[in-house]
Amino acid sequence: MLTVSHVSKRYGDMLANQDISFTVEDGQIAVLLGPNGAGKSTIIKSICGLLRFTGSIEIDGKPNKSMEAKRLLGYVPELPAVYDLLTVEEHLEFIRRAYRMEEDGQYAHVLLERFELLDKKDKLGKELSKGMQQKLSICCALAHRPRVLIFDEPMVGLDPHAIKELKNLFRELKAQGCTVLISTHMIDSVEDYWDVVHIMKNGRFAASRRNGGSENHSQSLEELFFEITEGGTEEGEQA
Ligand code: ADP
């Protein structure tokens, strides 16, 4: 479970996140939807312990910067972070050792196979295409079997096979009771698996919507998105 309470983040004079509060329960997929510059990456980096912020963030009740919280967390950054001089297989080995995992490399191989990287296992990070780096970044985030997963614009640069695998993976993580948070500006990439969507604008949640919730929304997600991001409307509702 992820709990974000009254988080604000300033870059100099620029207020990139303004008093953001939300929770993502176990077995839930939450989506942050918003145009470029809305503040999605900023809240994600705060959650992942990469930025200083005001407010509090807890992962399964533990402060997000604690070792216990970090062990539970898997993060796919917006730009793939791979090591130039480690091979694909060595990346996974590095994760296994960093997290002192006792299992052998079987699960790592399953992940690599799933994302069509097994035949690239001896290639160096710097020899991979952007899309392959993104797939490796996803495998690395999953390798220590985290319970809370944060994906920042995960579809960008992926081929159709990888997009399909990733969508299947989201559904599997949900079925396993994991907590999943995905940020995207591509509405159609999330339409069939989200539980709750928060539409961000100017560093705040301008609207929140639950899938299959009791509210009877006649508007599609896309219509709501454009009304909010291109119009002046804000629902102001928070989960
Ligand atoms: P999104 O992920 O929704 O595209 P970001 O969280 O990256 O948005 O950015 C939110 C705002 O904060 C933008 O106006 C962006 O220019 C600004 N910003 C992001 N990172 C920095 C930074 N390191 N220094 C100064 N301003 C930043």
Side-chain angles (χ1 to χ4, degrees):
M1 180 173 170
L2 168 67
T3 312
V4 175
S5 307
H6 300 292
V7 168
S8 295
K9 169 66 190 174
R10 222 173 238 295
Y11 298 109
D13 291 340
M14 160 80 202
L15 195 51
N17 285 160
Q18 303 185 44
D19 196 30
I20 290 184
S21 297
F22 67 104
T23 57
V24 191
E25 306 284 341
D26 293 346
Q28 215 181 39
I29 298 181
V31 174
L32 299 177
L33 206 57
N36 294 326
K40 304 180 299 296
S41 289
T42 299
I43 189 68
I44 280 187
K45 285 181 194 156
S46 295
I47 292 168
C48 296
L50 302 174
L51 293 176
R52 268 183 270 178
F53 56 87
T54 59
S56 81
I57 300 177
E58 291 183 345
I59 312 284
D60 273 359
K62 298 157 187 85
N64 72 321
K65 292 189 181 175
S66 65
M67 285 302 282
E68 300 103 300
K70 285 182 179 169
R71 206 173 185 321
L72 294 169
L73 194 75
Y75 168 47
V76 178
E78 190 178 8
L79 298 172
V82 303
Y83 297 99
D84 280 355
L85 297 178
L86 290 187
T87 66
V88 166
E89 193 168 40
E90 284 166 351
H91 277 80
L92 278 299
E93 177 65 18
F94 176 73
I95 301 287
R96 258 181 350 108
R97 290 196 198 183
Y99 286 90
R100 298 196 171 88
M101 295 181 70
E102 283 174 10
E103 60 185 81
D104 62 17
Q106 190 59 36
Y107 182 56
H109 273 220
V110 169
L111 288 172
L112 292 179
E113 191 160 30
R114 188 162 188 179
F115 285 95
E116 296 184 311
L117 285 176
L118 203 49
D119 59 338
K120 312 275 183 316
K121 68 183 172 55
D122 297 320
K123 270 193 181 293
L124 295 175
K126 66 177 182 182
E127 293 170 344
L128 301 175
S129 71
K130 170 85 190 341
M132 288 175 199
Q133 289 186 353
Q134 177 70 354
K135 294 195 282 189
L136 178 56
S137 188
I138 293 168
C139 293
C140 286
L142 293 164
H144 66 290
R145 299 181 189 270
R147 299 292 301 163
V148 178
L149 287 118
I150 317 284
F151 296 86
D152 194 353
E153 300 282 2
M155 308 289 184
V156 175
L158 292 185
D159 58 30
H161 174 90
I163 289 178
K164 189 166 132 252
E165 276 308 325
L166 193 56
K167 287 184 177 181
N168 288 339
L169 184 82
F170 292 149
R171 290 190 194 93
E172 285 168 27
L173 292 170
K174 177 178 163 66
Q176 290 162 14
C178 293
T179 303
V180 181
L181 177 67
I182 305 161
S183 102
T184 183
H185 61 276
M186 295 151 79
I187 306 171
D188 51 358
S189 71
V190 300
E191 64 194 6
D192 48 351
Y193 53 77
W194 56 280
D195 292 299
V196 57
V197 165
H198 301 291
I199 299 182
M200 289 193 77
K201 183 183 176 184
N202 299 333
R204 300 176 51 213
F205 285 178
S208 298
R209 183 168 289 186
R210 285 179 189 284
N211 203 357
S214 52
E215 315 94 336
N216 187 15
H217 293 294
S218 53
Q219 244 177 345
S220 71
L221 206 52
E222 190 174 27
E223 285 164 348
L224 178 66
F225 179 85
F226 285 118
E227 184 182 311
I228 286 173
T229 55
E230 294 183 356
T233 319
E234 291 194 13
E235 284 188 347
E237 172 207 337
Q238 294 204 341

